[in-house]
């Protein structure tokens, strides 16, 4: 088989500590966006396609473990070791709400309808905040069996998914009854759990295994054992024919969903890969690492124009419009006319 040319990623610098979480917005009229959480306490917003920095959300006093954007990419949320979850205006960078907790917040997620924010962490409590009534006390779901590592919504915000830091399994909670209705059993703690864009699959990473579950009947669809400890995995959102995984070996791997065969292995990070996520169109994917960088990789071979447009750091050369938009202040620039 002919050796493929090594992929050249877009390298996004800016964080001074490890990048521990990434989240893409859906496609909006202004394009799509990527938010990153880092132990440097400053979540950052970027253009999801080019990786260009748009702004930094300043206000946390400790490591930020989790971040997300709402469906319209108008608000961002972050969960931090400073015992708070914050909601931000993604256009101005202003802090809109700060929800105080009694311990580290490890995970946060906006509901699909954007009205609710779900949080979880070391307190072992899942909380749902009504963003239309931010001063009201949150709804608290029955105690999680251990401290919470990941959270997500599914079934049009009727079900909540959570995993624990030091206990295997993914728990599914019915929002109305506030009780656990199902547990997806895994041997090791689940470090990453993602609901596919079409709502059909739940992708989990536990130990050195990547698993795919049916999101409606909760049966195990596929399970693949990796040669490395996996921290994060994600399914390609459009065709579902490929998946990516990253972890302790510092590489970002692309696999065939049906056979489990490794298709590509991307090398470039200088530390363990903590998070991998696909862009909403599936044409590219991002990885965040202990080395403090985010790398954006093309799923298909990158075109030569894009490679030539990158500078020595692997970052695309900023056009005049981008530089102007950054100088004008922290706002989301309109995508170029040809988008």
């Amino acid at each position: 088989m002919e050796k493929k040319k090594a992929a050249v990623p877009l390298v996004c610098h800016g964080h001074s500590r490890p990048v521990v979480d990434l989240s893409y917005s859906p496609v909006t009229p202004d394009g799509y966006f990527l938010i990153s959480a880092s132990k440097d306490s400053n979540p950052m917003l970027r253009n999801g396609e080019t990786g260009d920095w748009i702004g930094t959300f300043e206000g946390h006093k400790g490591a930020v473990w989790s971040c997300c954007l709402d469906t319209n990419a108008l608000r961002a949320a972050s969960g931090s070791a400073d015992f708070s979850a914050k909601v931000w205006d993604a256009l101005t960078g202003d802090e809109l709400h700060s929800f105080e907790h009694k311990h580290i917040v490890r995970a946060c997620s906006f509901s699909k309808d954007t009205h609710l924010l779900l949080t979880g962490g070391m307190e072992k409590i899942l909380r749902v905040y009504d963003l239309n009534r931010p001063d009201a006390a949150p709804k608290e779901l029955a105690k999680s069996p251990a401290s919470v590592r990941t959270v997500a919504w599914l079934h049009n915000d009727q079900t909540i998914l959570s995993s624990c830091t030091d206990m295997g399994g993914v728990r599914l909670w019915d929002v109305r009854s506030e009780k656990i209705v199902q547990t997806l059993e895994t041997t090791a703690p689940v470090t990453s759990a993602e609901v596919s864009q079409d709502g059909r699959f739940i992708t989990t990473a536990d130990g050195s295994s990547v698993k795919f579950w049916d999101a409606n009947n909760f049966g195990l669809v596929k399970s693949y054992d990796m040669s490395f400890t996996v921290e994060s995995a994600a399914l390609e959102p459009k065709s579902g024919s490929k998946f990516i995984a990253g972890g302790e070996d510092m590489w970002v791997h692309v696999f065939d969903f049906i056979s489990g065969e490794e298709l590509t292995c991307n090398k470039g990070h200088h530390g363990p890969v903590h998070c991998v996520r696909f862009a909403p169109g599936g044409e590219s994917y991002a990885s965040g690492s202990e080395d403090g960088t985010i790398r954006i990789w093309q799923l298909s071979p990158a075109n030569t124009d894009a490679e030539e447009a990158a500078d020595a750091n692997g970052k695309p050369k900023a056009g005049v419009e981008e530089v102007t938009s950054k100088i004008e202040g922290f706002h989301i620039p309109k995508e170029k006319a040809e988008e």
Side-chain angles (χ1 to χ4, degrees):
M1 199 173 119
E2 196 186 327
K3 261 289 191 210
K4 289 197 194 99
K5 195 166 72 165
V8 179
L10 299 171
V11 184
C12 308
H13 298 280
H15 286 298
S16 58
R17 297 282 315 282
V19 176
V20 291
D21 194 24
L22 296 169
S23 182
Y24 278 101
S25 75
V27 177
T28 76
D30 292 318
Y32 61 91
F33 302 91
L34 175 65
I35 188 171
S36 54
S38 167
K39 291 184 183 177
D40 66 8
S41 80
N42 295 317
M44 288 186 182
L45 185 69
R46 297 177 185 275
N47 177 307
E49 191 175 356
T50 64
D52 284 326
W53 175 86
I54 293 171
T56 302
F57 301 102
E58 296 177 346
H60 278 299
K61 303 281 191 291
V64 175
W65 286 105
S66 177
C67 60
C68 56
L69 291 160
D70 72 6
T71 311
N72 308 309
L74 297 176
R75 287 178 298 187
S78 51
S80 170
D82 66 7
F83 295 12
S84 78
K86 293 183 187 290
V87 177
W88 314 83
D89 184 319
L91 277 74
T92 64
D94 295 336
E95 183 182 307
L96 299 176
H97 313 293
S98 185
F99 300 119
E100 300 308 313
H101 292 62
K102 294 187 178 68
H103 213 311
I104 293 166
V105 182
R106 282 299 302 261
C108 62
S109 179
F110 283 108
S111 59
K112 193 175 180 182
D113 68 11
T114 76
H115 298 316
L116 306 172
L117 181 71
L118 168 64
T119 68
M122 304 291 273
E123 277 185 89
K124 307 180 184 177
I125 297 169
L126 293 171
R127 291 187 173 88
V128 178
Y129 293 88
D130 184 342
L131 299 176
N132 296 323
R133 298 186 306 129
D135 297 330
K139 176 192 274 195
E140 294 187 357
L141 275 66
K143 213 169 167 96
S144 169
S147 65
V148 177
R149 172 74 183 257
T150 65
V151 296
W153 299 86
L154 64 163
H155 303 151
N156 286 320
D157 306 333
Q158 300 303 304
T159 308
I160 283 171
L161 167 163
S162 72
S163 74
C164 296
T165 309
D166 43 13
M167 177 187 283
V170 171
R171 279 144 207 91
L172 294 144
W173 307 70
D174 178 74
V175 173
R176 276 167 296 193
S177 70
E178 303 176 23
K179 297 279 190 295
I180 296 171
V181 290
Q182 184 88 20
T183 300
L184 311 181
E185 297 294 348
T186 66
T187 47
V190 171
T191 51
S192 164
E194 182 187 69
V195 181
S196 64
Q197 199 168 279
D198 61 9
R200 287 175 56 206
F201 295 107
I202 299 165
T203 305
T204 61
D206 72 287
S208 57
S209 166
V210 176
K211 295 182 174 69
F212 300 93
W213 311 79
D214 186 306
N216 294 308
N217 66 24
F218 306 124
L220 181 62
V221 179
K222 298 264 184 195
S223 179
Y224 294 117
D225 290 326
M226 303 291 154
S227 58
F228 58 97
T229 301
V230 187
E231 275 205 56
S232 184
L235 183 64
E236 192 277 314
K238 289 300 179 193
S239 66
S241 61
K242 299 181 178 76
F243 69 93
I244 51 175
E248 288 188 0
D249 68 354
M250 307 190 212
W251 300 341
V252 183
H253 305 261
V254 183
F255 298 92
D256 181 89
F257 175 73
I258 302 298
S259 67
E261 178 194 354
E262 183 169 307
L263 304 174
T264 313
C265 176
N266 295 309
K267 302 178 182 182
H269 281 299
H270 303 293
V273 175
H274 295 310
C275 187
V276 292
R277 290 288 176 258
F278 266 105
E283 69 287 342
S284 63
Y285 49 97
S287 54
S289 164
E290 183 73 18
D291 67 16
T293 68
I294 300 159
R295 288 168 193 257
I296 298 175
W297 313 80
Q298 295 300 314
L299 190 58
S300 54
N303 61 46
T304 31
D305 295 347
E307 287 177 20
E308 283 168 10
D311 65 18
N313 293 323
K315 202 166 190 303
K317 290 172 182 168
V320 176
E321 288 172 34
E322 286 167 12
V323 174
T324 311
S325 72
K326 287 176 189 174
I327 293 167
E328 282 171 359
F330 182 177
H331 70 286
I332 295 172
K334 290 275 183 228
E335 290 298 295
K336 296 185 181 67
E338 64 265 21
E339 279 294 302

